[in-house]
Amino acid sequence: MKKIINSPNEVVEEMIEGMVLADPDSLERVDGTTVVKRKDAPIRDKVGIVSGGGSGHEPAHAGYIGKGMLDAAVLGEVFTSPSVDQVFEGIKAVASDEGVLLVIKNYTGDVLNFEMAAEMAEAEGIQVEQVVVNDDVAVEDSSFTTGRRGIAGTVFVHKMAGAKAELGGTLKEVKAVAEKTIENVRSMGMAISPCSIPEAGKPSFTLEENEMEMGIGIHGEPGILRTDIAPAKDIATQLTEKILEDMSLEKGDEVVVMVNGLGATPEMELFIVNKTVQEMLKDRGINVHKTFVGEYMTALEMGGCSVTLLKVDEELKELLAVASDAPNFFVR
Amino acid sequence: MKKIINSPNEVVEEMIEGMVLADPDSLERVDGTTVVKRKDAPIRDKVGIVSGGGSGHEPAHAGYIGKGMLDAAVLGEVFTSPSVDQVFEGIKAVASDEGVLLVIKNYTGDVLNFEMAAEMAEAEGIQVEQVVVNDDVAVEDSSFTTGRRGIAGTVFVHKMAGAKAELGGTLKEVKAVAEKTIENVRSMGMAISPCSIPEAGKPSFTLEENEMEMGIGIHGEPGILRTDIAPAKDIATQLTEKILEDMSLEKGDEVVVMVNGLGATPEMELFIVNKTVQEMLKDRGINVHKTFVGEYMTALEMGGCSVTLLKVDEELKELLAVASDAPNFFVR
């Protein structure tokens, strides 16, 4: 396992330093913490949006900090929830009088620590609400998770909640938009090769030279099926069908599509997957409003991809179009 | 070698289809060609900017198509120059009365084919100028190349030339800006793991479990040194020192930095490399105007990174700030 790092137990610390040094005009680190925030937050009269979780999923979540998306991201160690204290620091760092919304991916550690931090913040007089994203249709209850896992669909929650906050929505309104997004978003992923946590120094799972795993989680949690690797068309079909089974989409409905790379997959392959996804939706009479192809939520250098569909109405389409300067989610 | 593809000899065709389906409002394919263009090109009274080359370097170059950057990209097979005819189609597709600038990476096949296509276009009355990017300081003369290779610095040439064209510059002015960018940009890369061309079905080179190669090209062309893998700090130092040796930078000069991933390298590691690059520049009294960390010019799923420095003056800083809607080069 080769990595371009200095010390396995310093990767998150050094990543944060390198990240803030890359954009010192817009980002700042809250001293002595693993919180990265908009330099200009808290923003007066705007609900603060905070997300975070284990590191190793970059650009999630710090790459979504910016006007119209997140105010802060709280970074844990690799694939490890940030502590209650760190989340508490993140909330305090961006809290305006309008309050703070926490966007949490559904992993037991994240949910516990973010909720406890919210209680601490409320005890200090900060209004806090939270939503839990559980878009992964692959499995119910997995390692680290009760219920469904939160994966790449989380980025749409950042976008919609961030846009609503940017437009001046109240905490209640911003939370409602985030919940609506969660209700309407579904994802599923698959892998052809594993990743290695720097401190572990070896792959978190193994796949034989001709194997793939459908429904795998972004930490390498077990999926639903391990088989011989299939053509891209079949992979895209299996992912999209499983997602569609779980959504109530009718002819004429509109969706936003994301084809997300897990870290080591060339963009070329993501576009090949997208071709089939688009053809399937067209065949079913489902209209595609916008499509995002790239790396939005990774698992270090895992090889594989995920597909996400978000059913949109006029409100969500308008929010998607709200200007943002978060560098990793560009809407043309 | 596992890949998420259907057929090894259909990857470019299917990628183009998946790419245009992802953004049908902004992109269109020129019928029967491997040219992807802005849907609204040719743009009246604006110099057209065309780039391209072998596929497998995504988002280069089609990901830079948009207002303020490229009008068209001509795609070759994987790591293979597009044919003269394809480049000719690309030029014709975006040619306005103001003419067309070709941005060519310095590989023998690309240079020959783009130059011959330019002659064909001129014979049809289209004004064409061209620039050749050769930013890679690692080696002189390599496989496929006489002189220095063109790598990630090419993206800055797209940006500067595209911005100047967007502002209404003449073909002569746009070319002058592209040449100025080329004169002031230097890059170098390294790899820790190889990539496989789909049709070949095996890695284009091998590196032992503990090896890295400094100065490698984006097609796996030989570099200058193969050694045991070093800490990120040493890798960043070697790349940056070699670049600085080749530039005449003085205390107080300003640069734009790019830390580019070659395909399989987690963004976390790119930020760790960036930390050292920034510290080195600070130590030397060189000011950093903007920094770009991410995947800008890849080599399929190669593991590794490159560092690029562009010396900027007021003109280049202003051009960098010109609005663009190319989805893969966002300036905050």
Side-chain angles (χ1 to χ4, degrees):
Chain A
M1 183 217 61
K2 283 183 280 191
K3 288 187 180 286
I4 303 177
I5 62 175
N6 293 305
S7 161
N9 50 18
E10 292 292 329
V11 291
V12 174
E13 172 60 30
E14 293 187 346
M15 171 178 69
I16 294 174
E17 290 177 39
M19 188 183 277
V20 175
L21 284 170
D23 198 357
D25 294 337
S26 301
L27 297 178
E28 111 190 329
R29 178 184 195 160
V30 179
D31 274 349
T33 74
T34 59
V35 176
V36 179
K37 67 182 271 290
R38 274 177 73 165
K39 204 167 180 177
D40 54 358
I43 319 283
R44 200 189 160 108
D45 296 335
K46 190 190 86 70
V47 172
I49 315 282
V50 175
S51 192
S55 293
H57 305 300
E58 292 69 29
H61 299 275
Y64 302 114
I65 296 172
K67 188 173 143 74
M69 284 188 85
L70 301 183
D71 292 84
V74 188
L75 285 71
E77 286 302 309
V78 177
F79 294 179
T80 303
S81 178
S83 70
V84 176
D85 286 346
Q86 296 294 328
V87 180
F88 181 42
E89 294 294 335
I91 298 170
K92 285 191 292 183
V94 304
S96 73
D97 289 347
E98 295 299 316
V100 172
L101 179 73
L102 306 182
V103 180
I104 312 168
K105 297 197 301 301
N106 191 33
Y107 297 98
T108 306
D110 284 348
V111 174
L112 276 174
N113 291 354
F114 276 75
E115 283 184 350
M116 209 171 299
E119 284 172 24
M120 288 165 68
E122 281 169 338
E124 292 209 359
I126 302 171
Q127 284 188 76
V128 184
E129 291 286 349
Q130 63 221 25
V131 295
V132 177
V133 189
N134 58 351
D135 54 317
D136 186 349
V137 301
V139 291
E140 291 283 338
D141 304 337
S142 177
S143 22
F144 318 121
T145 316
T146 304
R148 288 180 168 182
R149 300 173 297 219
I151 55 172
T154 309
V155 179
F156 289 134
V157 183
H158 295 344
K159 173 66 192 177
M160 300 302 178
K164 188 71 183 174
E166 187 64 30
L167 295 176
T170 63
L171 182 55
K172 200 176 156 188
E173 290 167 341
V174 172
K175 183 184 183 187
V177 156
E179 285 178 333
K180 179 175 174 176
T181 308
I182 293 169
E183 273 161 32
N184 286 288
V185 69
R186 301 286 188 281
S187 304
M188 185 165 151
M190 58 80 61
I192 60 172
S193 60
C195 60
S196 299
I197 297 174
E199 284 203 296
K202 59 180 177 49
S204 53
F205 61 95
T206 51
L207 280 168
E208 298 301 321
E209 183 44 38
N210 201 35
E211 272 184 336
M212 64 174 191
E213 184 160 337
M214 302 298 292
I216 204 161
I218 52 172
H219 313 93
E221 306 97 306
I224 49 178
L225 188 65
R226 192 175 274 215
T227 59
D228 278 3
I229 186 163
K233 203 177 296 188
D234 297 348
I235 291 169
T237 302
Q238 287 178 48
L239 296 176
T240 309
E241 276 183 350
K242 181 96 173 142
I243 291 167
L244 287 172
E245 277 169 23
D246 201 77
M247 293 178 93
S248 52
L249 287 178
E250 290 171 19
K251 223 171 169 162
D253 279 347
E254 271 189 292
V255 295
V256 172
V257 176
M258 178 179 281
V259 179
N260 171 59
L262 291 180
T265 300
E267 202 174 72
M268 171 181 282
E269 300 177 24
L270 303 179
F271 282 121
I272 293 172
V273 168
N274 181 54
K275 175 180 184 296
T276 297
V277 174
Q278 300 287 333
E279 288 166 353
M280 289 177 68
L281 294 170
K282 193 176 179 192
D283 284 350
R284 283 161 178 77
I286 296 161
N287 298 321
V288 175
H289 173 59
K290 289 275 179 197
T291 299
F292 298 85
V293 178
E295 291 187 345
Y296 293 93
M297 185 169 297
T298 62
L300 294 168
E301 71 283 2
M302 197 184 288
C305 67
S306 64
V307 173
T308 298
L309 298 183
L310 169 67
K311 183 180 171 186
V312 290
D313 59 6
E314 289 310 309
E315 182 187 28
L316 293 182
K317 280 159 54 177
E318 280 166 26
L319 290 171
L320 189 64
V322 171
S324 164
D325 71 358
N328 290 283
F329 189 79
F330 182 78
V331 184
R332 172 142 70 175
Chain B
M1 184 217 59
K2 283 183 280 191
K3 289 188 180 287
I4 304 177
I5 62 175
N6 293 304
S7 161
N9 49 18
E10 292 292 328
V11 291
V12 173
E13 172 60 30
E14 295 187 345
M15 172 178 69
I16 293 174
E17 291 178 39
M19 190 183 274
V20 174
L21 285 169
D23 199 356
D25 294 338
S26 301
L27 296 179
E28 115 190 325
R29 178 185 193 157
V30 179
D31 274 349
T33 73
T34 58
V35 175
V36 180
K37 66 181 272 289
R38 273 177 72 165
K39 205 169 181 176
D40 55 358
I43 318 284
R44 200 190 158 107
D45 297 336
K46 189 190 87 70
V47 172
I49 314 281
V50 175
S51 191
S55 293
H57 304 301
E58 291 71 29
H61 298 274
Y64 303 114
I65 296 172
K67 189 174 141 71
M69 282 187 87
L70 301 183
D71 292 84
V74 188
L75 285 70
E77 287 301 310
V78 177
F79 293 177
T80 304
S81 177
S83 70
V84 176
D85 286 347
Q86 296 296 327
V87 180
F88 181 42
E89 294 295 334
I91 297 170
K92 284 191 294 184
V94 305
S96 74
D97 291 345
E98 296 298 316
V100 173
L101 178 74
L102 306 182
V103 180
I104 312 167
K105 297 196 301 302
N106 191 34
Y107 298 98
T108 306
D110 284 349
V111 174
L112 276 174
N113 292 353
F114 276 73
E115 281 183 351
M116 210 173 298
E119 284 171 23
M120 288 165 67
E122 282 169 339
E124 292 209 359
I126 301 171
Q127 285 188 74
V128 185
E129 292 285 349
Q130 62 221 26
V131 295
V132 178
V133 188
N134 59 351
D135 55 317
D136 187 348
V137 300
V139 290
E140 290 284 338
D141 305 337
S142 177
S143 22
F144 319 121
T145 316
T146 304
R148 287 180 169 182
R149 301 174 296 221
I151 55 172
T154 309
V155 179
F156 289 134
V157 183
H158 296 344
K159 173 65 192 177
M160 299 303 177
K164 187 70 182 175
E166 188 63 31
L167 294 177
T170 63
L171 182 54
K172 198 177 157 187
E173 290 168 340
V174 172
K175 184 184 182 186
V177 155
E179 284 178 334
K180 179 175 173 176
T181 307
I182 293 169
E183 274 161 32
N184 286 287
V185 69
R186 300 288 188 281
S187 303
M188 185 165 150
M190 59 79 61
I192 60 172
S193 60
C195 60
S196 300
I197 297 175
E199 285 203 296
K202 60 180 175 48
S204 52
F205 60 96
T206 51
L207 280 168
E208 298 302 320
E209 182 46 38
N210 200 36
E211 273 183 338
M212 66 175 190
E213 184 160 335
M214 301 300 291
I216 203 161
I218 54 173
H219 312 94
E221 305 98 308
I224 47 178
L225 188 66
R226 193 174 273 216
T227 58
D228 278 3
I229 186 165
K233 202 176 297 186
D234 297 347
I235 291 169
T237 301
Q238 288 178 47
L239 296 176
T240 309
E241 277 183 350
K242 180 95 173 142
I243 292 167
L244 288 172
E245 279 169 21
D246 202 76
M247 294 179 91
S248 52
L249 287 178
E250 290 171 18
K251 222 170 171 164
D253 280 346
E254 271 189 293
V255 295
V256 171
V257 176
M258 177 180 281
V259 179
N260 171 58
L262 291 180
T265 301
E267 201 174 73
M268 172 182 281
E269 300 176 25
L270 303 180
F271 281 121
I272 292 172
V273 168
N274 181 55
K275 175 180 185 296
T276 297
V277 175
Q278 301 287 333
E279 288 166 352
M280 288 176 68
L281 294 170
K282 193 175 179 192
D283 283 351
R284 284 159 178 76
I286 296 161
N287 297 321
V288 176
H289 173 60
K290 288 275 179 199
T291 299
F292 299 85
V293 178
E295 290 186 346
Y296 293 93
M297 183 166 300
T298 62
L300 295 168
E301 71 283 2
M302 197 184 288
C305 66
S306 64
V307 172
T308 298
L309 299 184
L310 168 66
K311 183 180 170 186
V312 290
D313 59 7
E314 288 311 309
E315 181 187 27
L316 293 181
K317 281 161 52 177
E318 278 166 27
L319 290 170
L320 188 66
V322 171
S324 164
D325 71 358
N328 290 283
F329 190 79
F330 182 78
V331 184
R332 173 141 71 175

